[in-house]
Amino acid sequence: MDYLTAEEVRAWQPYPLAPDGVTPRKRARRRMELTGQWAPWQALGRRMAIGCVALEITQRCNLDCTYCYLSESSEALKDIPIEEVFRRVDMIFEHYGAGTGVQVTGGDPTLRKRDELLQIVRYIKSKDMRASLFTNGIKATRSLLEALCEAGLEDVAFHVDLTQRRKGYNTEAELNAVRQAYIERARGLPLSVFFNTTAYPGNFHELPALVRFFIANCDVVRLCSFQLGADTGRGVQRQRVTVSAETVLAAIQEGAQAKLNFGAASAGHSACNRYAYGIVCNGRVYDFYGDPAFVHKMLAATAHLKFDRADKRRAVATMIDFLLRNPRLLAGFASRAAKAAWSGRRDLLAAKGKVGKLSFFVHNFMDACQLDRERAEACSFMVMTPQGPMSMCVHNAKRDDYLLVPAMLKKEHKVMFFNPVTGRLQADKPDKLAVTVTRKNARGRAGKTSQTSAEHISK
Amino acid sequence: MKLIATLITVAFIVAGCATIQPAPDAKPPETQPIDAWARVLERFVDDRGYVDFYGLQRDRADLDRYVAWVYDVGPNNRPGLFPSYDDKLAYHINAYNALAMWKILKAGIPEELGPWARFSFFWRDRVEVGGKRMSLYAYENEVIRRLNEPRIHFGLNCMARGCPRLPREPFRAETLDAQIEREARQFFSEQRNLRVNHREGKTYTSAILNWFEEDFLAHAPSLIAYINRYAPQPVPNDYPLEFIPYDWRVAHQ
């Protein structure tokens, strides 16, 4: 494995803008070719220019997860000014163009002022990009979700699991009460609802049951994502866990009671992301990607189509319209659909023809001290730093390099600097910023040791 | 006595906070740039009267140009440019709406005009109209309302959702009467501004009717009589009026 050295991590820079004439998609394709990831299953460079870009609008959080990726400085930092957030949204647009998925995240983004959160979502929408809210859900009330929908939010991803140490919940099964409450909050809103779960030894045995919970709620839940616990920085779990991508895939299939093809379509590096698409009928899951060769053909032919994830009917109509214009693919699709319908006829009858869908995603983040060069270069999940987009895993290894820097702002025709430690605007650029980790703002490992991420990497 | 002293102190402090919003960078044109304002309305306002503020912010030259002209020229300092009553009234409605739109950009495009934001927006942050410094509140109450035309309340728009629909064209002197007549009918045809609940035996109408009651009563014997001039269906005379809480969310598209 070709791991980045501590020096290389420090020297790793955000991506600059592509030269003129190189489209974002073309650039992504080139990255996939150079890292050996250009294959028929690859969506990056074919359907999309990037998987998604995280926009961290606050570093504050109201939970303290054992696998937290935030910096030990995070709780001591003030929110970056909204002008700086807008500038980063502009940069996302310049790098990847319209249609890009923007994860509005943090910390927990709902801790930002309500008005500012709405402004940010509306601004993303005004750029014709796709805004997704990534939250632990504690402050994501129905009223906030409604207002966010009105501002243009398209997805909400709730992160709920045992690593968050929510009081009174000792098992994932108990946490289903929280998940159910969140599902009810989002029900009926024009949102795609996702659930994120960190898979780690403490909940690994519960994953199949959790998958069954998501299947039972697939009328609202569209995607369940499992992220392998990784030592990304601040968390108190220092050892890389033994839970692997393969064992998590097996646990998902055990829960789904179906064989799912996780290799037919994905974006980025195959060791980082695995994706399967299930059709749910009468509580039973059917693999939509059962014929990879046909999936690849469809992926290539439909690369230009945009599916409305918030509106199931519109997405189906887009697909039907496409198939009617492509009789050959229509024939292939119809024969496979007929075959699937025949094999699932009993479930179809029992469900009176009602079918749903549920996607399964497995994210395999890298440890901050073991960053594989090839995977970092093929990354499909970027974080927008003040200087440009950077691979999420590399960013996690050096977060303070981007957090403990002043943001330059133009105010009333004057250049000012935002100091993230004091939260004040000042005329002179501050030299070196540092935070004091106190008992009040210390989270995770910081409460136990004063070691920084950078020191950790250098070991 | 103590209370009065405190109130006076607070009033002085608050008054001292009043700020002037400098004119846009754009050079004020010589003649009324009504075409620039027309382009803003045509390009960034939809049929509901909602505004694409972020699109406007990215391409704000026309609005800045128009606002710079409003700062510089008005009926008070250039009366010769506004010979008729309709010239003045059309100018003021357009100017008020353009200044409100411009102030939303200046305020960082908020989602809502909450109590503090309203204080800054309508009172504290002053603008200039024809070289005369004033707040938006004073502009509406001390200048525009004095022209004694109650239908202006269906044309003036502070960019909140509770406001009357913002038309996609400027008000023009030559067609002003027909335009504000149309906007009055439009206003009372919308459920959010007027609805009759026969079960409750009540009529619900916009808070605008409450705030500016005296303007309407100067032209009609009662608010219901005034409403019935424009409502698509007559409102029962014996139903009490209830005023709908104003929606202070900014009228984003």
Side-chain angles (χ1 to χ4, degrees), chain A residues 60-77:
Chain A
R60 294 175 294 130
C61 190
N62 43 3
L63 286 175
D64 190 9
C65 305
T66 51
Y67 280 89
C68 182
Y69 55 79
L70 294 178
S71 155
E72 284 159 13
S73 315
S74 60
E75 288 299 321
L77 296 174

Side-chain angles (χ1 to χ4, degrees), chain A residues 115 118-119 122-123 126 150, chain B residues 54 108-109 111 161 252:
Chain A
D115 198 66
L118 293 171
Q119 280 180 287
R122 196 181 294 282
Y123 191 70
S126 83
E150 200 273 327
Chain B
Y54 289 113
I109 315 183
E111 284 290 316
R161 292 207 166 182
H252 285 284

Side-chain angles (χ1 to χ4, degrees), chain B residues 1 3-4 24-25 28 30-31 43-44 94 114 126 130 135-136 147 153 159 179 194 199 201 206 232 235 244 250-251:
Chain B
M1 195 60 198
L3 180 68
I4 292 170
D25 280 341
E30 289 299 312
T31 54
R43 290 179 60 201
F44 299 108
N94 289 329
R126 296 176 182 207
S135 66
L136 218 49
L147 292 169
H153 296 299
M159 306 294 136
Q179 282 180 304
L194 180 66
R199 194 171 47 80
S206 164
V235 168
I244 301 164
V250 171

Side-chain angles (χ1 to χ4, degrees), chain B residues 43-224:
Chain B
R43 290 179 60 201
F44 299 108
V45 180
D46 67 13
D47 290 336
R48 297 169 303 167
Y50 290 0
V51 183
D52 173 11
F53 285 105
Y54 289 113
L56 175 63
Q57 191 182 39
R58 286 192 282 275
D59 189 1
R60 54 184 294 168
D62 278 333
L63 179 64
D64 283 348
R65 200 159 150 246
Y66 188 72
V67 170
W69 181 78
V70 168
Y71 261 65
D72 211 40
V73 177
N76 61 309
N77 66 349
R78 301 281 291 278
L81 292 176
F82 308 93
S84 71
Y85 173 84
D86 283 355
D87 283 317
K88 287 190 195 71
L89 198 55
Y91 167 90
H92 287 308
I93 302 176
N94 289 329
Y96 182 93
N97 293 350
L99 286 168
M101 194 182 271
W102 182 74
K103 278 170 77 76
I104 291 285
L105 298 188
K106 291 286 278 183
I109 315 183
E111 284 290 316
E112 191 172 4
L113 292 174
W116 177 254
R118 291 208 288 278
F119 169 72
S120 314
F121 189 85
F122 289 105
W123 198 85
R124 192 195 65 184
D125 299 334
R126 296 176 182 207
V127 292
E128 286 181 35
V129 180
K132 198 173 172 191
R133 192 172 293 185
M134 64 184 94
S135 66
L136 218 49
Y137 178 85
Y139 186 32
E140 180 175 15
N141 289 286
E142 291 162 26
V143 178
I144 307 177
R145 285 179 70 192
R146 288 191 181 171
L147 292 169
N148 195 24
E149 171 49 84
R151 291 176 300 171
I152 49 133
H153 296 299
F154 312 120
L156 295 177
N157 192 302
C158 69
M159 306 294 136
R161 292 207 166 182
C163 294
R165 185 192 68 152
L166 179 66
R168 299 184 66 194
E169 59 176 17
F171 290 91
R172 296 177 192 269
E174 51 276 22
T175 51
L176 184 66
D177 190 65
Q179 282 180 304
I180 50 176
E181 187 73 7
R182 180 192 69 199
E183 293 311 320
R185 291 191 187 287
Q186 170 70 31
F187 183 85
F188 288 112
S189 72
E190 294 177 33
Q191 283 271 315
R192 67 189 180 102
N193 296 323
L194 180 66
R195 52 181 181 267
V196 179
N197 188 325
H198 291 293
R199 194 171 47 80
E200 293 178 6
K202 285 180 183 171
T203 297
Y204 291 87
T205 190
S206 164
I208 290 174
L209 276 289
N210 188 24
W211 296 338
F212 305 110
E213 185 179 25
E214 63 197 74
D215 296 8
F216 301 114
L217 293 185
H219 291 80
S222 69
L223 281 180
I224 291 178

